[in-house]
Amino acid sequence: MRVCIAIAVLALVSSCDSRAKASDPAGGRDQKSKEYETCSSSAACADELRCFERTCRRTARSTVGDYYAALGAAARKKGDAEAAIDAYNRALGHYDSEKVALPPDVDCAYGAALADAVGNKEHAELGARVLHRCLLAVPVGSALRDQALADLARLNDAGLDPLALGRTALADVYLTRTPAAPSSDKLSIGLTGPGVPSKSIDAITQKLTEPGPRGALTACWQAYNAASHKDTLTSNVGLKVTYTPSEYEDEAGTFTTKLDPADSPADQCVHDAVDAAFKDLKLREAFQTKLAVTIR
């Protein structure tokens, strides 16, 4: 009798699979793929998702919203960041009004368009927030996540704090670091002025790009960039060159250069830099104009 019991117990033990645990991968074989995860057929995707090009995608979409998203993508290709942002805003508006959940691909593209306008502090800040939202919505290894990280990297020089991206919830502010200023040797100084003779405009341009004046104008740009986070500074300087004939026939007349007062406090720095440069500049043509000095 004792032998039979032992045999029965042994048979019971041998019939059990000690590997069958709750954490056994075999127990999760029926788990379906989430949005943007890979699939072999729609049966492998979670509910409300279908398999397109081996990726699970949602079918609940706003056609009008997707049209404006396509319009935004076209504007980005043309390099028109503002038009792209406006189009994506319209896309988000249609998804909201139709009460259809916003797909991450539209949101990620919206964040990329905002990052294109990195020179605009408000766009850059919102872009960081939208791209972080994109990261939280898409799976690791997806092309959308990789692209979102690449777009976020473009905001580094604008002051993006990467630690904010490590959170599992959206941050209040993302651009908390001091923005990096471009190297001064990469700045270009442009000059336009209606009615200025070609010889004079060439002489003025050459003078303003000499080390001394260039350094002064670069300092103006740096102060402007730090305050506004914009990459282009354009300042107007009123300029008048007059000719006074000599009282004597055997002597040449004189040319006098005079700058108008700065139009605004923002123009004062550039005005002072130009004024200092003109002290060593001898112009030999009479004219009056508004010089537009652009530093970018």
Side-chain angles (χ1 to χ4, degrees), residues 104-125:
D105 58 287
V106 175
D107 210 23
C108 296
Y110 174 45
L114 288 163
D116 290 341
V118 65
N120 183 309
K121 185 178 180 180
E122 293 183 359
H123 286 339
E125 178 65 46

Side-chain angles (χ1 to χ4, degrees), residues 11 49 65 74 76 91 112 124 137 141-142 148 188-189 191 201 216 235-236 238 252 263 276 278 291-292:
L49 301 178
R76 286 193 69 203
S142 65
S188 63
I189 299 175
L191 190 69
I201 199 74
S235 183
N236 294 314
D263 291 337
F278 276 18
L291 288 177

Side-chain angles (χ1 to χ4, degrees), residues 132 135-136 161-174:
H132 186 201
L135 287 181
L136 297 176
D161 179 8
L163 296 180
L165 304 177
R167 302 173 183 174
T168 56
L170 298 178
D172 294 329
V173 184
Y174 289 86

Side-chain angles (χ1 to χ4, degrees), residues 195-204 239-243 254-257 282-288:
V196 182
S198 58
K199 289 184 179 180
S200 294
I201 199 74
D202 290 343
I204 296 171
L239 170 63
K240 184 177 183 180
V241 182
T242 57
Y243 174 73
T254 59
F255 288 89
T256 304
T257 301
K282 305 298 182 182
L283 297 175
R284 301 301 181 189
E285 296 171 300
F287 61 89
Q288 183 173 356

